[in-house]
Amino acid sequence: MLRPLTLATLATAGLLMSLCTAPSAVAVTGSPAPECVEYFQSWRYTDVHNGCGDTVAVTVEYTNGQWAPCRVIAPGGWATFSGYGTNGNYVTALRTCDPA
């Protein structure tokens, strides 16, 4: 009886460690996205619009540091990210990133 419990405990610990070490963002350069890139958030989605004349690569920063993909958006284009959800995980910034 002790052996299955030990295996379950080790498996759970391994899963938790993998979640804790997952990256919080992808290749963020740290520079704010240009002012011509805007976001519009709701509880379900955050829509990002590129109002610039050039293609941009951006990611979204959230209050809880959740991971967000790096998306390349053409001039006039849109990209959709996760919204703030029922826990109030709001967008704090748009950052440039390296999509590679």
Side-chain angles (χ1 to χ4, degrees):
M1 185 76 165
L2 185 57
R3 186 178 177 132
L5 179 60
T6 302
L7 290 175
T9 302
L10 288 173
T12 302
L15 176 61
L16 290 174
M17 294 214 22
S18 69
L19 291 174
C20 293
T21 58
S24 61
V26 285
V28 175
T29 65
S31 18
E35 289 184 19
C36 49
V37 180
E38 301 174 287
Y39 68 90
F40 307 91
Q41 64 180 327
S42 70
W43 74 274
R44 190 161 185 179
Y45 301 110
T46 298
D47 293 315
V48 178
H49 176 251
N50 178 6
C52 306
D54 296 317
T55 298
V56 295
V58 296
T59 189
V60 177
E61 250 180 31
Y62 294 96
T63 53
N64 75 352
Q66 100 180 19
W67 178 86
C70 181
R71 299 241 167 90
V72 177
I73 310 171
W78 291 82
T80 302
F81 294 85
S82 294
Y84 52 78
T86 56
N87 294 326
N89 186 26
Y90 294 94
V91 173
T92 58
L94 295 177
R95 300 273 182 201
T96 59
C97 56
D98 180 5

